[in-house]
Amino acid sequence: AAGDGGGDGDGAWALAARTPYVSLAFKEQSDVAKIQSVNLSTHATFEVWVHPDRESSLGYLIFKKSTFAVALQDGELVVAFGNVFPGWKWIHSDWKCPLHQWAHITVTYDTDAELTCIYVNGDLKRKAQVRGELSVSDNIVQIGVKSFRKMGQKKTRFVGRIADVRVWSVAHTAERIAASWGQALAGTEAGLAGYWPLDEGTGTVISDLTPHKNHGEILGAVWHMNVIVPPPTLSTDLKKMIGNELGSDVRLVAGGEHDAG
């Protein structure tokens, strides 16, 4: 569904066409969405739409303690994994997420290739070496969670909107990501471990559309909808167009009305 994505050229059209209308907004320290544990080990792909409204020193987008994290650190996209190398340390993308714009993030993890790759809107931003399987635990998966700071340090958080969270048990190729990033899923795709579109728009439950039905709970975060407001001159403009010779063949049709045949 089209939204308020920005940019120029063909990439801008692709971004706008896939931008989510409905999302979860995070602002307060306690805002979070929690999902029961999702375990991945040798291969993984993480996807999320993000719309930051304010920079912070650290704000988690997707997080499972000691296993994986996708976050923004002073606006820069960073990831971390519970593995042998580099261990629980930030891997930097060298890409800064612009404020007040949607961006689609994809992160892959592949133990066979010993590689993690970070993509933004289908474009590769960074490759880095990794070794070892991801740690397995019963820790919950959290969306939009506040940062965890040592004693005496201030906790910070991601401030903005998050939508369409996906977790896969396979590492997608660059070709697949370039061709299909951000496109809607059926929920039954091979290797899809969890799919939370975050498009309910109401209530405190986020639905997992995969057969796993690993639904989550919203605590504090609120629903946000992008609404396209028509210009105040719309009715006048339509009257002028229909009254014009070039618009003589224009007919206003109520929603759902169509010609038979």
Side-chain angles (χ1 to χ4, degrees):
D4 55 357
D8 298 314
D10 294 340
W13 283 106
L15 180 63
R18 304 177 193 192
T19 296
Y21 274 124
V22 184
S23 56
L24 270 180
F26 299 82
K27 183 178 180 181
E28 303 298 331
Q29 282 285 354
S30 57
D31 292 354
V32 68
K34 296 183 177 182
I35 302 164
Q36 292 303 308
S37 185
V38 176
N39 278 314
L40 309 160
S41 56
T42 59
H43 300 82
T45 298
F46 308 93
E47 296 184 72
V48 60
W49 280 97
V50 58
H51 185 288
D53 292 328
R54 190 177 73 202
E55 274 192 17
S56 64
S57 56
L58 182 62
Y60 289 95
L61 306 176
I62 316 173
F63 173 81
K64 180 180 176 182
K65 186 178 180 181
S66 302
T67 302
F68 59 80
V70 180
L72 295 179
Q73 186 180 69
D74 294 318
E76 182 193 3
L77 177 59
V78 294
V79 299
F81 303 103
N83 59 6
V84 174
F85 176 84
W88 195 252
K89 296 180 181 179
W90 291 121
I91 298 171
H92 293 259
S93 68
D94 299 326
W95 175 81
K96 195 165 185 177
C97 191
L99 294 177
H100 313 302
Q101 293 184 31
W102 281 107
H104 182 270
I105 294 167
T106 306
V107 178
T108 63
Y109 188 90
D110 188 337
T111 54
D112 295 333
E114 296 190 340
L115 196 66
T116 182
C117 298
I118 302 173
Y119 301 82
V120 176
N121 300 335
D123 295 328
L124 178 65
K125 296 299 181 183
R126 175 76 192 275
K127 291 182 178 181
Q129 184 183 19
V130 293
R131 287 200 305 272
E133 298 182 4
L134 297 174
S135 62
V136 174
S137 72
D138 293 330
N139 292 329
I140 63 174
V141 176
Q142 301 182 67
I143 301 172
V145 67
K146 64 179 178 291
S147 65
F148 298 87
R149 293 292 188 182
K150 295 180 180 179
M151 189 70 68
Q153 291 184 321
K154 182 181 179 181
K155 293 179 180 179
T156 62
R157 66 156 306 107
F158 166 77
V159 176
R161 289 175 262 157
I162 294 175
D164 206 343
V165 175
R166 310 170 182 195
V167 177
W168 304 75
S169 59
V170 294
H172 287 164
T173 64
E175 292 76 17
R176 171 167 179 163
I177 292 168
S180 63
W181 64 271
Q183 292 184 351
L185 302 176
T188 56
E189 287 79 1
L192 187 59
Y195 176 33
W196 302 270
L198 305 185
D199 62 357
E200 288 81 359
T202 186
T204 59
V205 174
I206 54 173
S207 298
D208 176 11
L209 299 191
T210 73
H212 305 297
K213 302 299 181 185
N214 189 11
H215 307 314
E217 178 186 13
I218 301 169
L219 301 173
V222 297
W223 292 108
H224 184 281
M225 298 186 188
N226 295 335
V227 179
I228 299 176
V229 180
T233 60
L234 178 61
S235 60
T236 303
D237 293 341
L238 283 173
K239 288 178 181 177
K240 288 180 179 179
M241 181 180 70
I242 294 172
N244 187 285
E245 181 180 351
L246 294 176
S248 59
D249 292 330
V250 175
R251 182 168 61 97
L252 296 181
V253 179
E257 182 183 341
H258 58 85
D259 294 329

